[in-house]
Amino acid sequence: MSLTVQVVWFKKDLRIQDHAPLKRASLRGPVLPLYVVEPDFWRQPDASERHYQFLNECLADLQQELAVQGQPLIIRTGEIVEVLEHLSKDIVIAGLWSHEETGNGWTYTRDKKVADWCRLKGIPWTECRQTGVLRRLKSRDGWAAKWDSFMAEPPVDPPRLQPVHALEPGNLPDASSIGLAADHCPQRQIGGRARGLETLQSFLFDRGKPYRAAMATPVRAFTACSRLSPHLTFGTLSLREVAQATWARQKDLKQNDFKGRSTWQGAMRSFSGRLHWHCHFMQKLEDEPRLEFENLHCAYDGLRPRESDRSRLAAWQAGETGLPFVDACMRCLAATGWMNFRMRAMLIAVSSYHLWLDWRAPGEHLARLFTDYEPGIHWPQVQMQSGTTGINTIRIYNPVKQGQDQDPDGVFVRRWVPELQQIDTAHIHQPWKAENAGSVLGKIYPFPVVDHVSAARDAREKVWGIRKGHAFRGRAADIQNRHGSRKSGIPMRGQERSRGRRRRKSSPDQADLFGETS
């Protein structure tokens, strides 16, 4: 007689703590925890080996945790429907359980196939919510209150599991065997729940004090920012766990007076607010999946050529635009898998405005480089920074000024663009002005691929020119109604109340965020 089990399908929720599907399934009988490596998913243009290696580390922790609870993780490789079909020949699948996922277009289509298979087989598929994202949302009104309510619920305790001995545990295939190219990322963060908990603890109690002042500059952001984003992306930590730990830290700070407390309080308020923004942007893709592929506002269709200028794209990707701060950020991102939010925004803005590239190819490149790539955050933000949403302020970052503001001594640039070691600090962000420019530019470091001043001016005229006219405003109003933040809904807790002045409320559409919980 075949064994009857509840299959818990792990996707981007690689933990046993605060895992509602695992808990609920365990109340129905024996549980088969399943992870499926889907080669077609890893062949998508937004996937990379660095993602897969981080995943492997997360799964290693998950395997240990599940084994302690009584039933190890089962790993299979192939198309999920085919895997489920094959499993159903050896066991009776009484139910399929998973968390909801706001993924890319490929996962959206995949999930529809799974739903069709479950209906055909008469197997109930239960998807549980795990973030502040709401499916089939009709209005953004009251969204923030629902977020607060969900995050305040007690985390779900991990259950004891009945052992299922009928199946082999399986192994993870090598990255190359599923079509992933080698992707050297020597300073990438390490995955797994243990590392996630360490990162959360160190941010809340050791590293986070200068968060507000340091988050904008890559010189300091790598230590001052939370660095929790990849752990939230892969679900080694639940957003609820992070929110409640942050709230507990805020309560502790309120009750204890010590030197530097006010700075810590400001940092925690600011970070707590950004946890809202995390879900705010994911909600956009959940509500409108075409954001991954199409301009949100159709008036921008055809504005930039879909076939990108290959030479400019290649220079931008390689960190060889001749704009030192831009190149330093790109090279750093390639080596570390992470970049602070302002520099993420600058990278996509330079590609969109100065290099006049359609956002799709640069967006895919950045997706592959970001270890914390989250489609629901990434694509709305790529469009926002490219100026194609129709509702956001056009931000054309001056790449020279950004360098002067965020890296005034050229420390960051010299580290990542060593070709400029001979250039005096006064001209490190504009090496073409240095007396010895002729010995460097065109020899060991390129001349700028564009004149950033005239390129920005031309881009501004083209983009703002689209915004004129009644038809544009009408469509923009519809987009704002559907996707815009509600001013009274989400407090930006990082904004201090100044004496004699009302605290300014900020929306995520006005903040310099690139979506990640930095």
Side-chain angles (χ1 to χ4, degrees), residues 86-247:
H86 188 268
L87 286 174
S88 67
K89 299 182 186 304
D90 298 319
I91 59 175
V92 176
I93 302 177
L96 179 65
W97 301 77
S98 72
H99 273 119
E100 294 177 347
E101 179 183 11
T102 303
N104 62 11
W106 188 92
T107 65
Y108 180 75
T109 301
R110 184 269 319 271
D111 283 0
K112 290 196 293 185
K113 293 178 182 178
V114 172
D116 290 341
W117 182 85
C118 287
R119 281 192 292 269
L120 179 65
K121 298 293 183 177
I123 297 173
W125 179 17
T126 304
E127 296 181 273
C128 302
R129 180 182 169 196
Q130 73 165 331
T131 68
V133 176
L134 296 169
R135 286 200 168 170
R136 294 171 286 279
L137 184 66
K138 294 182 179 180
S139 170
R140 276 297 187 109
D141 295 341
W143 181 89
K146 294 183 178 71
W147 190 97
D148 285 333
S149 177
F150 180 77
M151 294 302 161
E153 293 176 9
V156 179
D157 293 330
R160 292 294 302 173
L161 302 175
Q162 301 179 42
V164 177
H165 299 295
L167 299 170
E168 291 294 321
N171 297 300
L172 282 168
D174 292 334
S176 59
S177 69
I178 57 173
L180 285 169
D183 175 27
H184 187 53
C185 188
Q187 299 178 44
R188 173 181 60 79
Q189 284 182 257
I190 304 301
R193 180 168 174 84
R195 289 300 185 103
L197 290 171
E198 291 173 5
T199 303
L200 176 61
Q201 181 79 3
S202 68
F203 173 68
L204 293 180
F205 293 93
D206 298 317
R207 299 182 292 108
K209 183 178 179 181
Y211 176 68
R212 296 177 68 196
M215 69 171 70
T217 169
V219 178
R220 302 176 63 195
F222 278 78
T223 55
C225 286
S226 80
R227 307 303 302 278
L228 291 169
S229 49
H231 295 285
L232 292 174
T233 292
F234 286 83
T236 61
L237 302 175
S238 76
L239 193 63
R240 179 189 283 125
E241 288 181 287
V242 174
Q244 292 190 8
T246 305
W247 297 340

Side-chain angles (χ1 to χ4, degrees), residues 238-391:
S238 76
L239 193 63
R240 179 189 283 125
E241 288 181 287
V242 174
Q244 292 190 8
T246 305
W247 297 340
R249 176 62 168 146
Q250 289 176 295
K251 182 177 180 181
D252 178 66
L253 288 168
K254 186 176 181 180
Q255 295 174 346
N256 294 279
D257 192 10
F258 57 92
K259 185 177 180 180
R261 182 182 71 161
S262 61
T263 304
W264 266 111
Q265 287 178 311
M268 293 299 100
R269 280 195 298 271
S270 184
F271 179 70
S272 182
R274 278 169 172 78
L275 295 178
H276 285 86
W277 309 147
H278 175 277
C279 297
H280 167 82
F281 285 103
M282 290 179 68
Q283 187 71 56
K284 291 174 184 279
L285 188 64
E286 176 69 30
D287 293 343
E288 200 151 1
R290 73 179 184 87
L291 264 170
E292 183 183 355
F293 308 104
E294 303 173 10
N295 292 326
L296 183 57
H297 198 304
C298 59
Y300 291 105
D301 293 350
L303 177 63
R304 300 180 178 99
R306 286 302 296 259
E307 288 296 323
S308 296
D309 182 312
R310 293 184 182 277
S311 62
R312 288 187 178 186
L313 177 63
W316 178 82
Q317 291 174 324
E320 295 181 352
T321 65
L323 300 168
F325 194 54
V326 173
D327 293 342
C329 287
M330 185 62 81
R331 296 181 190 187
C332 177
L333 173 58
T336 67
W338 188 86
M339 183 53 60
N340 61 313
F341 65 81
R342 186 183 292 270
M343 301 311 63
R344 295 181 188 220
M346 182 194 70
L347 284 174
I348 195 66
V350 167
S351 74
S352 297
Y353 299 117
H354 301 85
L355 306 185
W356 203 241
L357 303 174
D358 181 78
W359 53 266
R360 181 68 188 168
E364 289 175 348
H365 181 72
L366 292 178
R368 292 188 292 269
L369 293 185
F370 293 151
T371 308
D372 56 15
Y373 167 55
E374 179 68 69
I377 296 174
H378 184 77
W379 293 113
Q381 277 286 351
V382 165
Q383 287 219 39
M384 175 176 163
Q385 303 301 338
S386 298
T388 56
T389 66
I391 62 174

